[in-house]
Structure formats: structure tokens, C-alpha cells
Amino acid sequence: MSTELAYNSSHQLVVCKRCKTGVIPGRSSVERHLRAEPHRLLGQALKAHLAYTDSLALRTLEVLQGNKPANGGAQLEYLEVYNGHCCLLCEGDAFLTTYLPRMQHHMSSHKRKAKEHESTPLWKECRLQTYFTAKGRIDYFIVTDDKEKGGVSEQASDSALLTQPEKELFEQLEKDYKEVKCDLEEQATVAQDIGDSRSERVPWLHDLTGFPSHLTTLKDEEIWSSYKLPPKKELDAGSEDAEDPDLVRILVVAESALRDAYRLCSDASPDRKMT
């Protein structure tokens, strides 16, 4: 079973469990979603999820948009539930929004003023869901509170059943993915050999400085500690109480020398003696 996606067989819709939104049908859309944050799926894990969605019967985007659930139904599992507002003046499809100022502005379409709501209800609070949350794809429908219906509907939680070998495959893929992710994160903290990097094509950077060979296998924190400066309060107070007195003395002398050089070379300095 997919650890990232759930299949709602009643609506023939793939829902992302982590993002709490429906995934637009189509292999390219599903792949784009799984490659992006927070999933970042690659390799076999990505292929397995794509193979899973390819095997599902999915409605097209047009069919889903034209057949959204009727207002007042049970919540669809894994989709985000929003606090929203429903216009009481609309005939047919009521105007729905999660943004109160937008509802207040909507009242002008009925030639009413939002402040009239204080005496006569013009809209009501409700719970909303939408198949998709991407820009331009939001189309809310009203759902009942779980407490009113006693939980998520059976239709909403109706997921496609997988065989035991398929479940074991996805569990193993998820385990492999986590292990590879941990390995990559650990490797990212260690400086790698130069290989085909630019320093190989610029001899002086490699042969004269020796930086690449010196930095190889060092961890990021080790490299950072080599050029970490003492706190400014230690530099201002001098070397007496510093954690590393010698380093503070060197930095103070170096700063003094650079300031003297700037004073002698700067066009804005009255003591300029060099051009």
C-alpha cells in the first residue's frame, strides 16, 4: 500500500495523505507532486508509487470538477477540512469561502450590506472541503462535522485493497527510501573529493592551494570551526578573558594593519600617502 497516497474508490480520486489534498489525475501530475516537497521521492520509491497510481481507475479532472460531492455529505478521508462560510441568499449553488471579508464583499451582488448580518443572518458558518488546493482548482463543498455523523463516511475511507505481496513491497520500498535518505543526509555533511569539479580544470586552485585534498572527508562543522571568529565582545574586551587569547591577539593586530593600510590608500582619508 502506498505510504504517501490513498485511493478513494467512490470518487476515483488519489489523495495525498501528507498534503491533505487530491492529486490532479495524470502520470505527469502525480510524478511532479511526489518529486516536490515534502515527499522528494526518487528512484524505486517513485517508480513504485507511479506504478500503483497507474493501476487505479481515476476520473479525469473535468469529471471531478463537474461532479463534486453534494453539500452536506460526510467528510472525505485525508482531505483538509476548513472552517468556512455559506451564503444564505444564493439560489442554487451557494457561494462558499473560507475568507470572511470575501463573503462580506459578496453581499453586494445581492444588493445587501454586510452589516445587515448583525440583525438578519445573511450567511452561516460551515465546514468545507475541496478536491484540490492548487491555485485555480479550489472548488469548495460543504461537509458535516465528524461529531454530527459519527466519523468519516464509509465511502470516504473506502480504499483499494492490495494483496499481501504488494503491501510487503511498498513497506520494503518505504524502508529502503528512508535508509537512502539518511545516507544522503549524512554524506551531505562531509566534503567530497573534487572528482570532475571545476578545481580539476583550474590547476592553481588544486596544486597551489591544496584546498581540495585538505578538505576531503572533513565534516561541515569541522570546516566551519576552522574559520569561526570569536564573539565580538571578546574582540572588544581584548585577549585577557578570551577563550582563545592567541587568536584574539592575531585578529586585533590584523584588523589594525588593515585599517592602517586603508587609511594610507583611501581617497577619502586625509592621511592618504599612496595611490
Side-chain angles (χ1 to χ4, degrees), residues 76-199:
L76 274 66
E77 191 177 17
Y78 298 118
L79 288 183
E80 185 69 81
V81 181
Y82 304 91
N83 292 321
H85 311 279
C86 172
C87 177
L88 298 176
L89 304 179
C90 289
E91 297 180 2
D93 290 337
F95 178 76
L96 305 173
T97 182
T98 59
Y99 189 49
L100 181 57
R102 190 178 179 194
M103 177 60 73
Q104 294 170 335
H105 182 267
H106 170 73
M107 291 299 105
S108 61
S109 65
H110 297 289
K111 302 186 184 303
R112 303 291 291 270
K113 295 183 179 180
K115 64 181 181 180
E116 296 180 37
H117 180 69
E118 298 176 2
S119 57
T120 303
L122 303 178
W123 63 83
K124 66 177 181 179
E125 295 183 351
C126 59
R127 303 281 277 170
L128 302 175
Q129 284 187 310
T130 175
Y131 278 144
F132 309 108
T133 57
K135 186 177 181 180
R137 305 291 188 191
I138 297 176
D139 191 8
Y140 293 116
F141 48 87
I142 300 175
V143 294
T144 57
D145 194 294
D146 283 349
K147 296 178 181 179
E148 299 175 10
K149 284 283 187 176
V152 178
S153 69
E154 295 181 0
Q155 288 185 346
S157 61
D158 183 12
S159 298
L161 298 177
L162 298 177
T163 63
Q164 187 60 33
E166 289 175 327
K167 291 181 180 180
E168 293 175 356
L169 171 62
F170 278 110
E171 289 173 357
Q172 183 61 43
L173 288 172
E174 179 67 13
K175 181 180 179 182
D176 293 343
Y177 164 69
K178 290 180 178 179
E179 291 178 353
V180 171
K181 185 178 180 181
C182 291
D183 292 342
L184 290 175
E185 290 175 350
E186 183 177 355
Q187 291 179 17
T189 64
V190 180
Q192 304 297 319
D193 195 6
I194 53 178
D196 296 328
S197 67
R198 184 174 180 273
S199 58

Side-chain angles (χ1 to χ4, degrees), residues 219-230 244 247:
K219 293 183 176 296
D220 289 350
E221 55 266 25
E222 294 175 316
I223 298 174
W224 178 69
S225 65
S226 69
Y227 62 82
K228 178 185 177 183
L229 296 177
D244 190 342
L247 177 59

